[in-house]
Amino acid sequence: MIDFRALADKYKTPLYIYDLDYMNEQFNKLKEAFKGRKSIVAYAVKANSNLSVVQHFAKMGSGADCVSIGEVRRAFKAGIPAYKIIFSGVGKTDDEIREAIEKDILYINVESDAELGRVEMIAKELKKVSRISIRVNPNIDPKTHPYISTGLHDNKFGVDLNTAKRMYITANNSQHLDPVGIHFHIGSQLTELTPIRESAEIVADLVRSLSTIKIDLKFFDIGGGLGIKYDDETLIEPYEYAQAILGTLTALDLTILCEPGRFLTANAGYFVSKVLYEKQNGDKKFVVVDGAMNDLLRPSLYKAYHKIDVITKNDGEKRAVDIVGPVCESGDFFAKDYMLPELSHNDLVVINSAGAYGFGMGSNYNTRGRSAEVAVQNGEDRLIRRRETFDDLIALEEDYLD
Ligand code: LLP
């Protein structure tokens, strides 16, 4: 059990707290589900890119799924070996591609015909061979929030099957490209297995058809996306997930690569704010806390639901309140019409499921420093990122004053 009050007193608020032991449990569940098959769990660094968190996964033997060269550098710094690092993303720059090739990562996940050309050109300049995979867009509706759906032709990600096939042939004929993998990722917070199975089938069929023209791939990269419980969602069990995918791969000798982010970190994280005030506008009641949308954007951006606990001595009747932050935006809220008892100054509001896409999507809007981050492991807590100060925020501007 995490002692939120003690940690809030020690490190102040707003504060992110991560339970590293929970991350181990989740990681082991996935590894276990795919055992009996060669597999790499490549943690999606974007979900929570704190170096200590990435290092924690490195120690478990995790790889890293990265979407910028910054994330690739984080993965290296955290001790993830090059042969377990992959680099995806629709808009890689030449410099990013060059560095990824020089660093000899497992593969670059190519998302367009044009990008394949750039990778080939840069590999040629470097006199190297770049291992690549191609991200296939299977045109399957993942049945999740439209903003986090990625596997439809309407979405910017990946390429259609015919283009993919053409690109594999080009890559196979190139002296500077080595097509080793195939990739799909249809969306995030997935709670239905059918779209995943259907996508895997489509992609596995492409692998078979490539094999008939002597293009034999080694890695079947199933992306991330496994959903978690924010509220009362019915979840896909890792075992069923693995079985659904493995079932499409009969007679294919492929290493599975999966790229979970949220599954590993979301429910390991809590965002803790302090109550500043309660206020009432007409019939509407608000609880104003010291954390804001710049710390945790998901409710504002996606109307995402996060379960909220409060730490208070009050045990009065609950009433519906909006929990809001100090930022000058009406969209700055963590929950609307949430049932909470009356709260007093300095009571704590603990936002659950904040370990993925929480801190990382934060900003300095309204010149607010980012919160501190704390890790808890085996009952011990330690600071893994200090709170940003005003000096941190202006550090890059100061030199330009008249
Ligand atoms: N692999 C690829 C290629 C991805 O695009 C993503 C997430 C992942 C893996 C990891 O997905 P996960 O296992 O975490 O679902 N900001 C949004 C989520 C954006 C996900 C983007 N891509 C949110 O707060 O819900």
PDB file of all heavy atoms in Angstrom, residues 231-252:
ATOM      1  N   ASP A 231     -11.925   1.958 -15.470  1.00  0.00           N
ATOM      2  CA  ASP A 231     -13.229   2.002 -14.816  1.00  0.00           C
ATOM      3  C   ASP A 231     -13.708   0.565 -14.634  1.00  0.00           C
ATOM      4  O   ASP A 231     -13.176  -0.166 -13.820  1.00  0.00           O
ATOM      5  CB  ASP A 231     -14.160   2.829 -15.724  1.00  0.00           C
ATOM      6  CG  ASP A 231     -15.461   3.168 -15.063  1.00  0.00           C
ATOM      7  OD1 ASP A 231     -15.620   2.852 -13.886  1.00  0.00           O
ATOM      8  OD2 ASP A 231     -16.331   3.754 -15.746  1.00  0.00           O
ATOM      9  N   ASP A 232     -14.664   0.148 -15.472  1.00  0.00           N
ATOM     10  CA  ASP A 232     -15.162  -1.224 -15.318  1.00  0.00           C
ATOM     11  C   ASP A 232     -15.026  -1.989 -16.633  1.00  0.00           C
ATOM     12  O   ASP A 232     -15.846  -2.836 -16.955  1.00  0.00           O
ATOM     13  CB  ASP A 232     -16.612  -1.198 -14.829  1.00  0.00           C
ATOM     14  CG  ASP A 232     -17.484  -0.397 -15.763  1.00  0.00           C
ATOM     15  OD1 ASP A 232     -16.953   0.122 -16.790  1.00  0.00           O
ATOM     16  OD2 ASP A 232     -18.690  -0.280 -15.499  1.00  0.00           O
ATOM     17  N   GLU A 233     -14.015  -1.658 -17.415  1.00  0.00           N
ATOM     18  CA  GLU A 233     -13.808  -2.315 -18.703  1.00  0.00           C
ATOM     19  C   GLU A 233     -13.596  -3.817 -18.519  1.00  0.00           C
ATOM     20  O   GLU A 233     -12.999  -4.252 -17.540  1.00  0.00           O
ATOM     21  CB  GLU A 233     -12.552  -1.768 -19.406  1.00  0.00           C
ATOM     22  CG  GLU A 233     -12.583  -0.313 -19.799  1.00  0.00           C
ATOM     23  CD  GLU A 233     -12.111   0.628 -18.695  1.00  0.00           C
ATOM     24  OE1 GLU A 233     -12.049   0.198 -17.522  1.00  0.00           O
ATOM     25  OE2 GLU A 233     -11.815   1.781 -19.007  1.00  0.00           O
ATOM     26  N   THR A 234     -14.088  -4.586 -19.497  1.00  0.00           N
ATOM     27  CA  THR A 234     -13.748  -6.005 -19.533  1.00  0.00           C
ATOM     28  C   THR A 234     -12.482  -6.102 -20.366  1.00  0.00           C
ATOM     29  O   THR A 234     -12.420  -5.587 -21.475  1.00  0.00           O
ATOM     30  CB  THR A 234     -14.868  -6.816 -20.237  1.00  0.00           C
ATOM     31  OG1 THR A 234     -16.092  -6.397 -19.673  1.00  0.00           O
ATOM     32  CG2 THR A 234     -14.666  -8.301 -20.038  1.00  0.00           C
ATOM     33  N   LEU A 235     -11.488  -6.773 -19.806  1.00  0.00           N
ATOM     34  CA  LEU A 235     -10.176  -6.731 -20.445  1.00  0.00           C
ATOM     35  C   LEU A 235      -9.872  -8.004 -21.227  1.00  0.00           C
ATOM     36  O   LEU A 235     -10.439  -9.059 -20.967  1.00  0.00           O
ATOM     37  CB  LEU A 235      -9.093  -6.545 -19.386  1.00  0.00           C
ATOM     38  CG  LEU A 235      -9.200  -5.277 -18.555  1.00  0.00           C
ATOM     39  CD1 LEU A 235      -8.031  -5.192 -17.592  1.00  0.00           C
ATOM     40  CD2 LEU A 235      -9.250  -4.036 -19.433  1.00  0.00           C
ATOM     41  N   ILE A 236      -8.922  -7.852 -22.139  1.00  0.00           N
ATOM     42  CA  ILE A 236      -8.373  -9.015 -22.833  1.00  0.00           C
ATOM     43  C   ILE A 236      -7.308  -9.606 -21.920  1.00  0.00           C
ATOM     44  O   ILE A 236      -6.422  -8.887 -21.456  1.00  0.00           O
ATOM     45  CB  ILE A 236      -7.697  -8.573 -24.157  1.00  0.00           C
ATOM     46  CG1 ILE A 236      -8.687  -7.846 -25.051  1.00  0.00           C
ATOM     47  CG2 ILE A 236      -7.038  -9.749 -24.850  1.00  0.00           C
ATOM     48  CD1 ILE A 236      -8.039  -7.128 -26.242  1.00  0.00           C
ATOM     49  N   GLU A 237      -7.397 -10.887 -21.653  1.00  0.00           N
ATOM     50  CA  GLU A 237      -6.365 -11.533 -20.836  1.00  0.00           C
ATOM     51  C   GLU A 237      -5.110 -11.740 -21.682  1.00  0.00           C
ATOM     52  O   GLU A 237      -5.223 -12.161 -22.850  1.00  0.00           O
ATOM     53  CB  GLU A 237      -6.860 -12.895 -20.342  1.00  0.00           C
ATOM     54  CG  GLU A 237      -7.891 -12.822 -19.245  1.00  0.00           C
ATOM     55  CD  GLU A 237      -7.371 -12.085 -18.014  1.00  0.00           C
ATOM     56  OE1 GLU A 237      -6.189 -12.294 -17.660  1.00  0.00           O
ATOM     57  OE2 GLU A 237      -8.130 -11.295 -17.437  1.00  0.00           O
ATOM     58  N   PRO A 238      -3.935 -11.476 -21.124  1.00  0.00           N
ATOM     59  CA  PRO A 238      -2.701 -11.657 -21.904  1.00  0.00           C
ATOM     60  C   PRO A 238      -2.609 -13.042 -22.549  1.00  0.00           C
ATOM     61  O   PRO A 238      -2.167 -13.164 -23.695  1.00  0.00           O
ATOM     62  CB  PRO A 238      -1.595 -11.460 -20.863  1.00  0.00           C
ATOM     63  CG  PRO A 238      -2.198 -10.594 -19.834  1.00  0.00           C
ATOM     64  CD  PRO A 238      -3.662 -10.924 -19.793  1.00  0.00           C
ATOM     65  N   TYR A 239      -3.061 -14.065 -21.837  1.00  0.00           N
ATOM     66  CA  TYR A 239      -2.971 -15.413 -22.396  1.00  0.00           C
ATOM     67  C   TYR A 239      -3.826 -15.531 -23.669  1.00  0.00           C
ATOM     68  O   TYR A 239      -3.378 -16.037 -24.694  1.00  0.00           O
ATOM     69  CB  TYR A 239      -3.414 -16.445 -21.345  1.00  0.00           C
ATOM     70  CG  TYR A 239      -3.437 -17.856 -21.873  1.00  0.00           C
ATOM     71  CD1 TYR A 239      -2.245 -18.579 -22.004  1.00  0.00           C
ATOM     72  CD2 TYR A 239      -4.640 -18.460 -22.262  1.00  0.00           C
ATOM     73  CE1 TYR A 239      -2.250 -19.870 -22.524  1.00  0.00           C
ATOM     74  CE2 TYR A 239      -4.653 -19.755 -22.782  1.00  0.00           C
ATOM     75  CZ  TYR A 239      -3.458 -20.453 -22.907  1.00  0.00           C
ATOM     76  OH  TYR A 239      -3.474 -21.715 -23.426  1.00  0.00           O
ATOM     77  N   GLU A 240      -5.056 -15.005 -23.584  1.00  0.00           N
ATOM     78  CA  GLU A 240      -5.955 -15.067 -24.767  1.00  0.00           C
ATOM     79  C   GLU A 240      -5.378 -14.256 -25.923  1.00  0.00           C
ATOM     80  O   GLU A 240      -5.482 -14.624 -27.094  1.00  0.00           O
ATOM     81  CB  GLU A 240      -7.331 -14.486 -24.436  1.00  0.00           C
ATOM     82  CG  GLU A 240      -8.164 -15.368 -23.554  1.00  0.00           C
ATOM     83  CD  GLU A 240      -9.376 -14.611 -23.032  1.00  0.00           C
ATOM     84  OE1 GLU A 240      -9.832 -13.655 -23.689  1.00  0.00           O
ATOM     85  OE2 GLU A 240      -9.842 -14.988 -21.936  1.00  0.00           O
ATOM     86  N   TYR A 241      -4.809 -13.126 -25.569  1.00  0.00           N
ATOM     87  CA  TYR A 241      -4.174 -12.236 -26.549  1.00  0.00           C
ATOM     88  C   TYR A 241      -3.088 -13.009 -27.294  1.00  0.00           C
ATOM     89  O   TYR A 241      -3.067 -13.070 -28.529  1.00  0.00           O
ATOM     90  CB  TYR A 241      -3.593 -11.064 -25.762  1.00  0.00           C
ATOM     91  CG  TYR A 241      -2.770 -10.044 -26.498  1.00  0.00           C
ATOM     92  CD1 TYR A 241      -3.303  -9.301 -27.536  1.00  0.00           C
ATOM     93  CD2 TYR A 241      -1.462  -9.761 -26.096  1.00  0.00           C
ATOM     94  CE1 TYR A 241      -2.549  -8.318 -28.170  1.00  0.00           C
ATOM     95  CE2 TYR A 241      -0.709  -8.780 -26.716  1.00  0.00           C
ATOM     96  CZ  TYR A 241      -1.255  -8.059 -27.752  1.00  0.00           C
ATOM     97  OH  TYR A 241      -0.515  -7.092 -28.364  1.00  0.00           O
ATOM     98  N   ALA A 242      -2.215 -13.643 -26.515  1.00  0.00           N
ATOM     99  CA  ALA A 242      -1.103 -14.384 -27.117  1.00  0.00           C
ATOM    100  C   ALA A 242      -1.634 -15.532 -27.975  1.00  0.00           C
ATOM    101  O   ALA A 242      -1.171 -15.737 -29.113  1.00  0.00           O
ATOM    102  CB  ALA A 242      -0.181 -14.910 -26.022  1.00  0.00           C
ATOM    103  N   GLN A 243      -2.618 -16.236 -27.451  1.00  0.00           N
ATOM    104  CA  GLN A 243      -3.152 -17.376 -28.212  1.00  0.00           C
ATOM    105  C   GLN A 243      -3.765 -16.912 -29.537  1.00  0.00           C
ATOM    106  O   GLN A 243      -3.604 -17.557 -30.569  1.00  0.00           O
ATOM    107  CB  GLN A 243      -4.207 -18.138 -27.390  1.00  0.00           C
ATOM    108  CG  GLN A 243      -3.628 -18.937 -26.235  1.00  0.00           C
ATOM    109  CD  GLN A 243      -2.486 -19.853 -26.656  1.00  0.00           C
ATOM    110  OE1 GLN A 243      -2.631 -20.663 -27.568  1.00  0.00           O
ATOM    111  NE2 GLN A 243      -1.331 -19.710 -26.027  1.00  0.00           N
ATOM    112  N   ALA A 244      -4.491 -15.808 -29.479  1.00  0.00           N
ATOM    113  CA  ALA A 244      -5.142 -15.294 -30.699  1.00  0.00           C
ATOM    114  C   ALA A 244      -4.087 -14.997 -31.757  1.00  0.00           C
ATOM    115  O   ALA A 244      -4.268 -15.283 -32.946  1.00  0.00           O
ATOM    116  CB  ALA A 244      -5.944 -14.036 -30.386  1.00  0.00           C
ATOM    117  N   ILE A 245      -2.984 -14.432 -31.324  1.00  0.00           N
ATOM    118  CA  ILE A 245      -1.939 -14.079 -32.290  1.00  0.00           C
ATOM    119  C   ILE A 245      -1.194 -15.318 -32.759  1.00  0.00           C
ATOM    120  O   ILE A 245      -1.024 -15.538 -33.970  1.00  0.00           O
ATOM    121  CB  ILE A 245      -1.000 -13.030 -31.681  1.00  0.00           C
ATOM    122  CG1 ILE A 245      -1.745 -11.700 -31.717  1.00  0.00           C
ATOM    123  CG2 ILE A 245       0.306 -12.928 -32.464  1.00  0.00           C
ATOM    124  CD1 ILE A 245      -1.315 -10.679 -30.811  1.00  0.00           C
ATOM    125  N   LEU A 246      -0.811 -16.148 -31.816  1.00  0.00           N
ATOM    126  CA  LEU A 246      -0.036 -17.342 -32.197  1.00  0.00           C
ATOM    127  C   LEU A 246      -0.853 -18.228 -33.131  1.00  0.00           C
ATOM    128  O   LEU A 246      -0.309 -18.864 -34.031  1.00  0.00           O
ATOM    129  CB  LEU A 246       0.408 -18.108 -30.947  1.00  0.00           C
ATOM    130  CG  LEU A 246       1.366 -17.322 -30.031  1.00  0.00           C
ATOM    131  CD1 LEU A 246       1.739 -18.120 -28.794  1.00  0.00           C
ATOM    132  CD2 LEU A 246       2.619 -16.893 -30.784  1.00  0.00           C
ATOM    133  N   GLY A 247      -2.172 -18.217 -32.928  1.00  0.00           N
ATOM    134  CA  GLY A 247      -3.057 -19.033 -33.763  1.00  0.00           C
ATOM    135  C   GLY A 247      -2.995 -18.659 -35.241  1.00  0.00           C
ATOM    136  O   GLY A 247      -3.355 -19.455 -36.108  1.00  0.00           O
ATOM    137  N   THR A 248      -2.549 -17.445 -35.537  1.00  0.00           N
ATOM    138  CA  THR A 248      -2.498 -17.019 -36.947  1.00  0.00           C
ATOM    139  C   THR A 248      -1.141 -17.352 -37.578  1.00  0.00           C
ATOM    140  O   THR A 248      -0.938 -17.121 -38.758  1.00  0.00           O
ATOM    141  CB  THR A 248      -2.712 -15.483 -37.086  1.00  0.00           C
ATOM    142  OG1 THR A 248      -1.589 -14.807 -36.491  1.00  0.00           O
ATOM    143  CG2 THR A 248      -3.978 -15.017 -36.410  1.00  0.00           C
ATOM    144  N   LEU A 249      -0.225 -17.875 -36.769  1.00  0.00           N
ATOM    145  CA  LEU A 249       1.151 -18.019 -37.251  1.00  0.00           C
ATOM    146  C   LEU A 249       1.572 -19.463 -37.509  1.00  0.00           C
ATOM    147  O   LEU A 249       2.764 -19.765 -37.489  1.00  0.00           O
ATOM    148  CB  LEU A 249       2.128 -17.407 -36.230  1.00  0.00           C
ATOM    149  CG  LEU A 249       1.975 -15.907 -35.982  1.00  0.00           C
ATOM    150  CD1 LEU A 249       3.022 -15.411 -35.010  1.00  0.00           C
ATOM    151  CD2 LEU A 249       2.069 -15.129 -37.291  1.00  0.00           C
ATOM    152  N   THR A 250       0.599 -20.327 -37.725  1.00  0.00           N
ATOM    153  CA  THR A 250       0.961 -21.728 -37.933  1.00  0.00           C
ATOM    154  C   THR A 250       1.952 -21.855 -39.092  1.00  0.00           C
ATOM    155  O   THR A 250       1.818 -21.179 -40.118  1.00  0.00           O
ATOM    156  CB  THR A 250      -0.293 -22.584 -38.230  1.00  0.00           C
ATOM    157  OG1 THR A 250      -1.190 -21.774 -38.953  1.00  0.00           O
ATOM    158  CG2 THR A 250      -0.932 -23.102 -36.965  1.00  0.00           C
ATOM    159  N   ALA A 251       2.933 -22.685 -38.856  1.00  0.00           N
ATOM    160  CA  ALA A 251       3.975 -22.979 -39.854  1.00  0.00           C
ATOM    161  C   ALA A 251       4.902 -21.802 -40.121  1.00  0.00           C
ATOM    162  O   ALA A 251       5.688 -21.840 -41.065  1.00  0.00           O
ATOM    163  CB  ALA A 251       3.362 -23.486 -41.160  1.00  0.00           C
ATOM    164  N   LEU A 252       4.809 -20.779 -39.314  1.00  0.00           N
ATOM    165  CA  LEU A 252       5.743 -19.650 -39.501  1.00  0.00           C
ATOM    166  C   LEU A 252       6.682 -19.592 -38.297  1.00  0.00           C
ATOM    167  O   LEU A 252       6.225 -19.614 -37.151  1.00  0.00           O
ATOM    168  CB  LEU A 252       4.973 -18.330 -39.605  1.00  0.00           C
ATOM    169  CG  LEU A 252       4.169 -18.084 -40.867  1.00  0.00           C
ATOM    170  CD1 LEU A 252       3.347 -16.808 -40.736  1.00  0.00           C
ATOM    171  CD2 LEU A 252       5.092 -17.988 -42.087  1.00  0.00           C
TER     172      LEU A 252
END
